[in-house]
């Protein structure tokens, strides 16, 4: 944590050579700028444990170099199925469409926890509060160390 506050600016999408963007454990709020989809060299996008709201931009499908994407412990909503592959019949698979993506971590299907919005992620590699090793009554856990 670097005690960062405020919003992520749209101009972040101009940093096209950026390979790692880590703001985990801060107090950033508001939506994730769709301009971040321009960061095609990005390998690590760590946005966990902030106060981000809204949905994950569909422009993220262009982040073809992404290896790790962590967005858990925010207030995001929506469906991340656009990040998943299809088997050709329209059925989603459990594999991310970005083939380099090995760590895709989100708050998934956590409607049991009041006050934390739902997000659907059929191809996440880990769903923070949907982890069988976590007691959701006593602990909000997700290990974001890589």
């Amino acid at each position: 944590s670097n005690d960062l506050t405020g919003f992520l600016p749209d101009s972040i999408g101009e940093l096209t050579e950026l390979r790692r963007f880590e703001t985990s454990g801060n107090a950033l709020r508001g939506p994730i700028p769709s301009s971040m989809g321009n960061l095609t060299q990005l390998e690590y996008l760590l946005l966990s444990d902030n106060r981000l709201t809204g949905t994950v931009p569909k422009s993220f499908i262009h982040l073809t170099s992404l290896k790790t994407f962590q967005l858990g412990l925010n207030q995001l909503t929506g469906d991340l199925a656009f990040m998943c592959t299809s088997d050709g019949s329209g059925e989603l698979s459990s594999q991310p469409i970005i083939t380099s993506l090995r760590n895709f971590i989100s708050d998934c299907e956590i409607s049991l926890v009041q006050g934390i919005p739902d997000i659907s992620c059929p191809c996440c590699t880990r769903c923070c509060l949907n982890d069988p090793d976590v007691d959701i009554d006593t602990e909000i856990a997700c290990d974001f160390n890589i």
Side-chain angles (χ1 to χ4, degrees):
S1 170
N2 293 313
D3 296 322
L4 298 175
T5 61
F7 298 88
L8 292 172
D10 285 332
S11 59
I12 193 82
E14 297 172 15
L15 302 173
T16 56
E17 297 300 315
L18 194 64
R19 295 193 182 273
R20 185 180 185 104
F21 186 76
E22 182 172 357
T23 61
S24 298
N26 286 287
L28 295 173
R29 63 184 193 279
I32 300 170
S34 63
S35 65
M36 289 187 80
N38 297 333
L39 305 178
T40 58
Q41 300 300 311
L42 200 60
E43 295 179 1
Y44 300 92
L45 180 54
L46 311 175
L47 301 172
S48 59
D49 197 13
N50 279 285
R51 297 178 188 151
L52 299 172
T53 59
T55 60
V56 174
K58 293 201 184 319
S59 63
F60 276 30
I61 201 71
H62 302 294
L63 301 179
T64 56
S65 299
L66 207 56
K67 295 178 182 175
T68 297
F69 181 26
Q70 298 175 347
L71 53 93
L73 302 177
N74 279 292
Q75 298 168 356
L76 298 166
T77 60
D79 191 348
L80 296 177
F82 69 90
M83 299 280 291
C84 307
T85 59
S86 171
D87 67 2
S89 69
E91 294 292 318
L92 295 175
S93 82
S94 61
Q95 297 299 311
I97 202 163
I98 300 169
T99 56
S100 61
L101 190 55
R102 297 291 179 247
N103 297 299
F104 187 10
I105 303 171
S106 177
D107 300 325
C108 309
E109 303 174 34
I110 54 170
S111 58
L112 297 175
V113 181
Q114 273 190 356
I116 299 177
D118 288 341
I119 193 162
S120 174
C121 187
C123 57
C124 279
T125 56
R126 180 155 183 216
C127 294
C128 296
L129 298 177
N130 207 15
D131 190 324
D133 296 329
V134 175
D135 178 1
I136 63 172
D137 292 327
T138 61
E139 186 174 12
I140 296 178
C142 216
D143 182 6
F144 289 108
N145 297 319
I146 59 169

